[in-house]
Amino acid sequence: MAGLYIHIPFCRQKCPYCDFYSEVDRDGDLVLYVDALCRDLELSCAWYGAEPFSTVFFGGGTPSLLPPDQVERILNQVQRFYGLSADVEVSMEVNPGTVDCQGLHGYHQAGVNRLSIGVQSFDDDQLRWLRRIHDSRQALALVDEARRAGFERLNLDLMFALPGQSEASMVESCRRIAQLDVEHVAIYGLSVEPGTPLAAAEASGRWSQSDEADYQRHYLTLSEQLIRHGFDHYEISNFCRPGEACRHNLGYWQRRPYLGIGAGAHSFLGQGDGERWHCPDDLNAYLRALQHGQLPRQQLETFSHGQAVSEAAYLALRCGKGVDDQEFLLRYGVRFSSRFSDAIAACGDALHRCGTRYFFEPKDWLLYDFYIEKFLI
């Protein structure tokens, strides 16, 4: 089943480490933007196809700047032109400090049934360094308010490899997460992206990144602790209680089709061996195109069969399940074990095998980029 990604490129302020497309101080454009999203959904129906969606994901930016009635309006438009499966997963990113109890109730009533909460850290000093607009008290309160609003599926985002962060603080963060009894956790190592304020600060000597050894220790500590608290480490950066994986993101890693709407959103079409499209990172251009009845998309790439097979392999190896040789043969007409025999041999003991399944373990994911180059043939 296909997924739908909806990009909301608005923020109260830009985090210094973020390189996702977003705009600050344009709240006045929210209603115009929702008009454009609804028009995009209508026009894209003929281009993409009217297949019902099994997952919907509101990402950003800060989607929780959208009023609940506008979220409901978008979902009604999706239902009208495409349909939603009976067990649809509707996820929404929310940031502490941007939504209250009334808003949470409104989102739940509108049809959102999974929240991804941008906690990032339980340490207020670290939150100030990251220039987040919330503190740990607000983050904890948001989890409680979300439960009272009726949300049964919660994800927490957590960052690691922050300046001054210790292994002890990683252990304490995992203990707090276990106490909160959430269903899902996503972890992100702090990375310095070109063109961000964080990159400029590092270049001027105002801070320095954690060294590789600290990064590895933090990652493995989080993995070990979260597994100890009952989570499955089911993808490089993601953990879930049994049966609570993010279905929308699994669609990406399983190379399933998805439609992306909104400025900066990407789409993947499943015809042939696949096509990838994107909407330019330009809010004004997005609004202007749709006001003129034009689809604001450009094609990025069309895959050959060989490229599709390689992409399928390296996306699957991001996941704990890995690649099943028989399933790969049924889907792509070639065995993983024969198509990538040289790459498998080059990985040595790092690529594990259990029956017909090939997979990496968390300690091997630390060198994922190194190993995966061998599959890009």
Side-chain angles (χ1 to χ4, degrees):
M1 296 288 285
L4 172 65
Y5 175 76
I6 302 167
H7 191 66
I8 310 297
F10 300 97
C11 286
R12 290 270 171 82
Q13 68 179 33
K14 187 84 170 177
C15 295
Y17 53 85
C18 179
D19 70 337
F20 288 108
Y21 174 62
S22 63
E23 298 277 355
V24 178
D25 296 329
R26 293 193 60 168
D27 287 355
D29 289 324
L30 271 172
V31 174
L32 282 176
Y33 188 69
V34 174
D35 289 343
L37 291 177
C38 289
R39 182 65 170 147
D40 193 347
L41 285 164
E42 179 182 357
L43 294 176
S44 294
C45 188
W47 172 74
Y48 180 81
E51 180 181 356
F53 293 112
S54 64
T55 65
V56 179
F57 196 105
F58 288 85
T62 308
S64 48
L65 294 178
L66 279 180
D69 64 329
Q70 299 290 6
V71 173
E72 183 175 23
R73 182 184 168 201
I74 293 168
L75 291 175
N76 286 341
Q77 190 80 339
V78 176
Q79 184 69 267
R80 176 186 175 189
F81 286 101
Y82 302 85
L84 296 166
S85 65
D87 63 342
V88 64
E89 173 192 271
V90 182
S91 301
M92 184 174 183
E93 294 177 349
V94 297
N95 286 336
T98 65
V99 63
D100 57 17
C101 293
Q102 184 178 357
L104 290 170
H105 279 281
Y107 293 143
H108 192 261
Q109 291 173 355
V112 179
N113 54 28
R114 182 181 182 277
L115 293 183
S116 183
I117 301 174
V119 172
Q120 313 309 353
S121 175
F122 294 106
D123 184 304
D124 287 342
D125 288 336
Q126 290 172 356
L127 290 170
R128 281 189 289 270
W129 187 85
L130 291 168
R131 298 184 193 172
R132 302 293 293 182
I133 65 172
H134 71 276
D135 58 24
S136 58
R137 178 189 57 81
Q138 289 173 296
L140 294 170
L142 180 54
V143 173
D144 181 60
E145 291 163 358
R147 290 300 195 201
R148 286 190 280 116
F151 286 97
E152 297 179 353
R153 302 189 69 207
L154 299 180
N155 168 70
L156 299 187
D157 286 346
L158 193 68
M159 296 185 71
F160 68 95
L162 299 174
Q165 203 170 32
S166 66
E167 286 186 69
S169 71
M170 297 286 91
V171 173
E172 174 61 16
S173 293
C174 293
R175 186 188 68 80
R176 285 203 181 194
I177 288 168
Q179 287 180 332
L180 292 170
D181 198 26
V182 296
E183 289 71 34
H184 194 283
V185 181
I187 64 171
Y188 303 96
L190 180 65
S191 60
V192 181
E193 304 299 335
T196 61
L198 197 63
E202 183 186 39
S204 65
R206 284 176 284 168
W207 81 287
S208 59
Q209 296 184 66
S210 299
D211 63 30
E212 187 174 324
D214 281 342
Y215 186 101
Q216 292 178 355
R217 279 195 297 270
H218 287 183
Y219 178 83
L220 291 176
T221 296
L222 285 172
S223 178
E224 291 162 2
Q225 289 295 314
L226 288 170
I227 290 172
R228 177 173 169 268
H229 286 297
F231 288 87
D232 293 332
H233 193 169
Y234 76 97
E235 191 270 343
I236 289 179
S237 301
N238 288 272
F239 302 77
C240 69
R241 300 290 186 187
E244 296 292 349
C246 176
R247 284 166 44 202
H248 183 83
N249 286 344
L250 279 174
Y252 296 148
W253 303 319
Q254 293 170 355
R255 210 168 182 267
R256 304 297 180 186
Y258 59 90
L259 172 64
I261 67 166
H266 287 68
S267 301
F268 178 71
L269 278 63
Q271 60 249 34
D273 288 301
E275 298 175 2
R276 191 159 284 124
W277 295 67
H278 81 121
C279 299
D281 297 346
D282 186 328
L283 179 58
N284 292 329
Y286 182 78
L287 294 172
R288 192 163 52 246
L290 287 159
Q291 285 166 356
H292 289 89
Q294 300 170 348
L295 281 178
R297 283 183 186 78
Q298 300 172 357
Q299 190 175 54
L300 285 177
E301 54 188 330
T302 299
F303 290 83
S304 67
H305 186 65
Q307 289 170 330
V309 168
S310 286
E311 183 174 81
Y314 76 72
L315 288 174
L317 290 171
R318 290 182 61 94
C319 301
K321 180 183 176 182
V323 179
D324 183 273
D325 210 23
Q326 187 63 28
E327 292 177 5
F328 204 85
L329 173 63
L330 290 174
R331 186 170 180 187
Y332 293 101
V334 61
R335 289 191 180 276
F336 173 82
S337 56
S338 57
R339 177 70 174 83
F340 298 105
S341 57
D342 290 344
I344 292 169
C347 288
D349 293 339
L351 186 63
H352 304 270
R353 180 179 178 182
C354 180
T356 60
R357 187 168 64 91
Y358 295 80
F359 60 95
F360 289 121
E361 292 186 344
K363 62 182 176 58
D364 308 308
W365 275 331
L366 284 165
L367 294 174
Y368 172 82
D369 289 344
F370 169 75
Y371 290 124
I372 215 63
E373 283 184 359
K374 309 176 191 308
F375 294 88
L376 303 181
I377 56 177

